[in-house]
Amino acid sequence: MELKALGYLGVDTTDLDGWRAYGSRFLGLQLTDSVSDSMAFRMDDRRQRLTVSNANRNGLGFMGWEVTDALHLDRFAARLEKAHVKISRGSRALCEQRQVRDLVVFADPVGNRLEVYHGLADAGTPFTPGRTMSGFRTGDMGIGHVVLTVPNAAQILPFYRDLLGFRLSDYFERPFKAVFMHLNQRHHSLAILETGEVGIHHLMFETLSLDDVGQAYDLALVDEGRIATTLGRHTNDQVVSFYAKSPSGFLVECGWGGLAINPETWQPYEVVHGPSFWGHDRNWLPPEGQEDARRIRMAAAQNGARANVNVIEGLFNVTKC
Ligand code: FE
């Protein structure tokens, strides 16, 4: 796979001030750079991972996908050109803004801006979270995942799977149509959700400790209207998470304990027991959708749906009983 991981994200917002507090004091990102019309956040050893820009719209600004080096970037660009995808080479100024060695820019069939890059700069100093927490799981698995909303999932799938090289993880038909795709051990770096509209549904960042998610949940609970999906556990990537409304309107999933798959042997399948083992009441679904989701979940529970927790080396104790 030429694309290795989701390496950075850009968000557009009409509420830059809202993002300052949301990004640092709620999500725990490190605010590194703040000018009048944008701000940048760190989440690990890299110089920046999330850029938030002042705009007259709210939504996804760009997705940054990593390749190994200049050779892979050229190869990738040539493949896109051969498929008649219009690409532009990133200027020096843009590389500087993104803190990368080089990049190319293009759009997916519904107009989302994609950037493929290599050489995201190291920060050279330790990550200091914006609130007390243990940090984010990134590295080879990338910074998390993006879930896009599309009018028709079947129409956009060939672009991501056949042209860009994403591999299918699994898919749902109920309670909504969704397709999940991976590039590395992270169960999905990208998903597309068929809602009828072009947009972004959510971003997911994964913390190192379960308590980081619980402590964020406490912060969200006292902020009326913040929680969009209650605490729960997903059946496919197995994260324990909740979803919090961002100042741009879309959601951010605060997660822990994601499944690491083996991309070489993984076989895609249809998830028939719903998206969650428990929890994840989605107040953004229409009432009949929420009811349907609850019914599927209760039936799955009755059928014994559960999975082991996924722990990170050094961050667990085994209790003998
Ligand atoms: Fe998610």
Side-chain angles (χ1 to χ4, degrees), residues 145-147 180 188 191 201-204 234 237 239 241 243 253:
H145 66 236
V146 182
V147 178
F180 298 81
H188 58 283
H201 182 266
H202 70 268
L203 312 174
M204 192 282 292
H234 281 304
D237 69 358
V239 297
S241 63
Y243 294 61
E253 179 180 12

Side-chain angles (χ1 to χ4, degrees), residues 166-241:
F166 283 80
R167 292 188 189 176
L168 197 59
S169 305
D170 51 43
Y171 55 97
F172 303 159
E173 294 291 335
R174 286 176 63 213
F176 42 79
K177 268 193 182 168
V179 181
F180 298 81
M181 288 169 274
H182 63 270
L183 293 171
N184 51 51
Q185 282 192 297
R186 189 176 289 288
H187 172 276
H188 58 283
S189 295
L190 178 73
I192 48 181
L193 196 60
E194 187 171 297
T195 61
E197 279 171 31
V198 173
I200 171 170
H201 182 266
H202 70 268
L203 312 174
M204 192 282 292
F205 296 139
E206 184 177 354
T207 60
L208 296 178
S209 161
L210 174 60
D211 293 335
D212 295 326
V213 172
Q215 288 164 357
Y217 199 57
D218 272 350
L219 293 174
L221 276 171
V222 295
D223 191 2
E224 215 189 315
R226 185 61 73 196
I227 295 171
T229 299
T230 61
L231 195 66
R233 188 172 187 215
H234 281 304
T235 50
N236 63 350
D237 69 358
Q238 301 180 356
V239 297
V240 175
S241 63

Side-chain angles (χ1 to χ4, degrees), residues 12-269:
D12 288 337
T13 189
T14 54
D15 182 11
L16 200 60
D17 265 352
W19 267 100
R20 192 183 313 274
Y22 182 84
S24 59
R25 291 205 294 278
F26 173 63
L27 296 178
L29 305 170
Q30 179 182 355
L31 182 64
T32 57
D33 200 12
S34 180
V35 288
S36 61
D37 62 351
S38 73
M39 59 181 77
F41 293 98
R42 280 179 64 181
M43 59 191 297
D44 59 7
D45 59 343
R46 301 307 166 104
R47 211 171 285 169
Q48 67 188 34
R49 290 294 202 175
L50 176 69
T51 307
V52 183
S53 303
N54 191 25
N56 55 13
R57 67 183 284 272
N58 285 297
L60 184 65
F62 49 85
M63 293 176 270
W65 302 97
E66 184 188 6
V67 290
T68 311
D69 52 25
L71 182 71
H72 283 84
L73 187 61
D74 287 344
R75 208 182 277 169
F76 196 84
R79 171 139 48 99
L80 292 180
E81 281 181 325
K82 205 172 154 206
H84 308 292
V85 175
K86 195 173 167 295
I87 63 165
S88 62
R89 210 78 203 195
S91 64
R92 273 297 100 208
L94 185 62
C95 291
E96 178 65 24
Q97 257 181 44
R98 301 287 192 262
Q99 299 285 326
V100 298
R101 288 229 183 85
D102 200 5
L103 80 160
V104 295
V105 182
F106 56 102
D108 75 7
V110 291
N112 292 302
R113 178 178 166 127
L114 284 85
E115 300 179 357
V116 171
Y117 75 91
H118 76 95
L120 180 59
D122 276 331
T125 55
F127 168 64
T128 310
R131 69 175 164 87
T132 304
M133 51 96 70
S134 49
F136 295 93
R137 189 181 190 190
T138 60
D140 291 346
M141 291 172 85
I143 61 170
H145 66 236
V146 182
V147 178
L148 304 173
T149 62
V150 295
N152 184 317
Q155 269 173 16
I156 199 170
L157 186 62
F159 178 83
Y160 281 100
R161 185 191 54 197
D162 307 334
L163 183 61
L164 303 194
F166 283 80
R167 292 188 189 176
L168 197 59
S169 305
D170 51 43
Y171 55 97
F172 303 159
E173 294 291 335
R174 286 176 63 213
F176 42 79
K177 268 193 182 168
V179 181
F180 298 81
M181 288 169 274
H182 63 270
L183 293 171
N184 51 51
Q185 282 192 297
R186 189 176 289 288
H187 172 276
H188 58 283
S189 295
L190 178 73
I192 48 181
L193 196 60
E194 187 171 297
T195 61
E197 279 171 31
V198 173
I200 171 170
H201 182 266
H202 70 268
L203 312 174
M204 192 282 292
F205 296 139
E206 184 177 354
T207 60
L208 296 178
S209 161
L210 174 60
D211 293 335
D212 295 326
V213 172
Q215 288 164 357
Y217 199 57
D218 272 350
L219 293 174
L221 276 171
V222 295
D223 191 2
E224 215 189 315
R226 185 61 73 196
I227 295 171
T229 299
T230 61
L231 195 66
R233 188 172 187 215
H234 281 304
T235 50
N236 63 350
D237 69 358
Q238 301 180 356
V239 297
V240 175
S241 63
F242 74 97
Y243 294 61
K245 201 170 170 202
S246 78
S248 293
F250 62 79
L251 310 181
V252 177
E253 179 180 12
C254 301
W256 171 85
L259 174 69
I261 65 164
N262 179 350
E264 301 312 314
T265 56
W266 185 261
Q267 296 293 327
Y269 66 100

